[in-house]
Amino acid sequence: MKLRRVTCISRLLRRLPAMGICLAVLAGCSLQGAPGLDSTDRKFAAFYSDYLVRSGSAEPSDSVQALPLTTGDLDSLFVRHGIDQKIFDEKLRAYSKDPALWREVLVEVRKQLRQRR
């Protein structure tokens, strides 16, 4: 009986490092949390920050009046940033389903707007 306990304890002690490694990996995965942006997300963020600047929406002061962009203006923004209406619409749908990803895109937009100042 005593031998069985010693054997069980020794097995447990041999497995302990492997279990510890598994727990560390799982904890690391859960800490990552925030999704990463792919190249299309970064293009979308660049497009959106450029749009905000050109429309006057990026300026906090009341003295700046928002200027509506024409269809031609929007088309040139799409071309400049390497996206089209289809990609734009797909990304909007994806962001509406994944608020954490949308938050990361907005952080990227904010970063780009600060770099312009």
Side-chain angles (χ1 to χ4, degrees):
M1 183 79 151
K2 199 173 194 181
L3 184 59
R4 283 187 189 174
R5 259 191 214 165
V6 171
T7 306
C8 288
I9 291 172
S10 67
R11 281 186 201 159
L12 180 63
L13 290 175
R14 279 186 274 154
R15 292 181 184 166
L16 194 58
M19 291 186 327
I21 291 171
C22 289
L23 286 174
V25 168
L26 290 174
C29 289
S30 69
L31 291 176
Q32 287 178 350
L37 299 180
D38 64 17
S39 64
T40 310
D41 294 323
R42 292 186 192 287
K43 287 179 184 180
F44 185 95
F47 169 87
Y48 192 48
S49 62
D50 205 7
Y51 169 82
L52 291 174
V53 168
R54 289 183 184 216
S55 68
S57 300
E59 295 296 325
S61 70
D62 292 335
S63 63
V64 176
Q65 293 181 353
L67 303 171
L69 296 178
T70 66
T71 304
D73 294 334
L74 289 174
D75 289 342
S76 69
L77 281 178
F78 280 134
V79 170
R80 179 176 180 202
H81 294 287
I83 60 175
D84 59 15
Q85 188 69 48
K86 181 182 174 190
I87 293 172
F88 182 82
D89 293 341
E90 288 172 0
K91 282 299 178 181
L92 284 180
R93 280 192 295 278
Y95 300 146
S96 70
K97 294 176 183 174
D98 189 350
L101 181 58
W102 176 238
R103 192 174 308 114
E104 289 299 313
V105 170
L106 291 178
V107 167
E108 180 68 21
V109 168
R110 187 180 312 138
K111 185 169 62 172
Q112 291 183 20
L113 289 173
R114 285 184 180 147
Q115 288 174 352
R116 289 176 178 240
R117 290 183 184 175

